[in-house]
Every structure is written in structure tokens, then in C-alpha cells.
Amino acid sequence: VRSKLPPTTLQWIQNHVDNHLDWEKNQEHLRLTEEELQALEDGTGPLPEALRIKHHHVNHIIVNKQSKLARKQPIDKDSVISWFLELNEQGYQTLHHVMDSTFVISWISPRQAKLLQESNEICIDATHKTCKSIINCRDDVYLFSIIAKNAVTGRGYPLAFMITDKE
């Protein structure tokens, strides 16, 4: 879907998103000047581009940017493998087992592994429909998290993660 906004306006949005401005922060930059307001009231000036920019324009660019950052490969399964190779280089322990009809992936950071070994109590939290399957995009997946109580904050602290398409 192509935007009806002029390329200069799309570039303006892109520049602001690149500077980590979300919709709320962008709205501050979309306020009309006194001169633009007066010209609008008088009917003597063109419709300012700021009035054409809507939430979905900014959100679309933010989502595209996040997707580009998150995807290492165009195919989800290949992207997961690329991420896991990078995590392994950073000292993470990973597991990825992908078959024709099912998969399981799991990861834990070195710090989390140390905390897991030191934990007296843990819980497992299951969250369904967190994202779509890397095998069949119509299938939902489940996120399982191992949680321990943080001694400092007294709150739950995630220690390890597993995603699978089987409950």
C-alpha cells in the first residue's frame, strides 16, 4: 500500500522516527505556527502538510523500522537461526529444534543462567498467542518463561524463555 503523502512529508516522518520520536512526540512538531493558522483561517494559504499526517502514517513507519531491526533474514525460520547464532556468540545458551510440522526454540543469557542456578524457587509462566509460528504463519505459538523472585525488588524476574507451537 502506497501512502498518499508527498515524499517530503514521508521523509520528515522517517527522520523523526529515526530520532526515536513516537506519535505523541511527533504531534508536538506538527503544531501549526500562528502564520499557518492565520493563512488557514483567511483561506490564503495551502493546507499545511502537518494536517495530513495521521497516527497510522507514523505507526506504519515505526512498525517497518522495528521489523527491519528484528529480522535478520526475510524468512522467519532463517531469521531465528541467525539470531541464535548471534546470541551464541554473546555467550547465550540456545536451543532450536525445527522439524517439518513443529518447532521449539529456547534461550538464556549467561547472567540469567547464573541466577537460575542460585534460585531456590522458580515458576513457569505460559502465554499463548504471542506471535505466529515460524513454520506455518496461520498457527499461534506459546511463550514459556521461567521466573524467579528477585531478591532486591521482590518481583518476578525472567530467567529463561522457550517458544513452541505445541502446548
Side-chain angles (χ1 to χ4, degrees), residues 75-89:
I75 298 172
D76 290 340
K77 185 167 49 173
D78 296 339
S79 186
V80 166
I81 292 169
S82 292
W83 271 111
F84 274 44
L85 291 172
E86 183 173 317
L87 290 176
N88 287 335
E89 289 173 6

Side-chain angles (χ1 to χ4, degrees), residues 33-102:
T33 64
E34 290 292 327
E35 295 80 23
E36 289 173 317
L37 281 172
Q38 190 60 50
L40 203 59
E41 287 178 6
D42 297 342
T44 58
L47 182 66
E49 284 303 315
L51 295 180
R52 296 178 195 226
I53 298 174
K54 306 290 183 221
H55 177 268
H56 68 272
H57 296 121
V58 176
N59 191 56
H60 178 73
I61 290 175
I62 290 171
V63 168
N64 280 346
K65 179 181 179 181
Q66 290 173 334
S67 181
K68 286 177 186 172
L69 291 171
R71 289 183 178 270
K72 292 196 170 288
Q73 304 287 332
I75 298 172
D76 290 340
K77 185 167 49 173
D78 296 339
S79 186
V80 166
I81 292 169
S82 292
W83 271 111
F84 274 44
L85 291 172
E86 183 173 317
L87 290 176
N88 287 335
E89 289 173 6
Q90 295 176 20
Y92 281 64
Q93 296 174 40
T94 63
L95 164 75
H96 60 276
H97 186 69
V98 181
M99 298 186 327
D100 291 336
S101 62
T102 191

Side-chain angles (χ1 to χ4, degrees), residues 8-159:
T8 54
T9 304
L10 290 172
Q11 187 59 52
W12 182 90
I13 298 171
Q14 183 70 53
N15 292 342
H16 283 78
V17 167
D18 288 345
N19 287 321
H20 309 290
L21 299 180
D22 60 9
W23 172 244
E24 286 183 27
K25 298 269 195 291
N26 271 306
Q27 280 183 307
E28 296 169 12
H29 296 281
L30 295 175
R31 300 202 197 298
L32 299 181
T33 64
E34 290 292 327
E35 295 80 23
E36 289 173 317
L37 281 172
Q38 190 60 50
L40 203 59
E41 287 178 6
D42 297 342
T44 58
L47 182 66
E49 284 303 315
L51 295 180
R52 296 178 195 226
I53 298 174
K54 306 290 183 221
H55 177 268
H56 68 272
H57 296 121
V58 176
N59 191 56
H60 178 73
I61 290 175
I62 290 171
V63 168
N64 280 346
K65 179 181 179 181
Q66 290 173 334
S67 181
K68 286 177 186 172
L69 291 171
R71 289 183 178 270
K72 292 196 170 288
Q73 304 287 332
I75 298 172
D76 290 340
K77 185 167 49 173
D78 296 339
S79 186
V80 166
I81 292 169
S82 292
W83 271 111
F84 274 44
L85 291 172
E86 183 173 317
L87 290 176
N88 287 335
E89 289 173 6
Q90 295 176 20
Y92 281 64
Q93 296 174 40
T94 63
L95 164 75
H96 60 276
H97 186 69
V98 181
M99 298 186 327
D100 291 336
S101 62
T102 191
F103 76 96
V104 62
I105 57 176
S106 180
W107 65 98
I108 184 170
S109 74
R111 182 172 184 265
Q112 290 168 318
K114 182 178 182 286
L115 290 171
L116 180 59
Q117 289 175 342
E118 296 169 354
S119 297
N120 295 328
E121 291 180 46
I122 60 168
C123 310
I124 297 180
D125 176 61
T127 308
H128 68 288
K129 295 186 177 184
T130 54
C131 58
K132 296 295 179 186
S133 172
I134 61 173
I135 295 175
N136 182 348
C137 64
R138 291 182 301 275
D139 294 341
D140 295 319
V141 300
Y142 306 89
L143 169 66
F144 293 90
S145 304
I146 296 176
I147 312 290
K149 186 176 180 180
N150 184 299
V152 176
T153 65
R155 305 189 85 184
Y157 182 82
L159 295 177

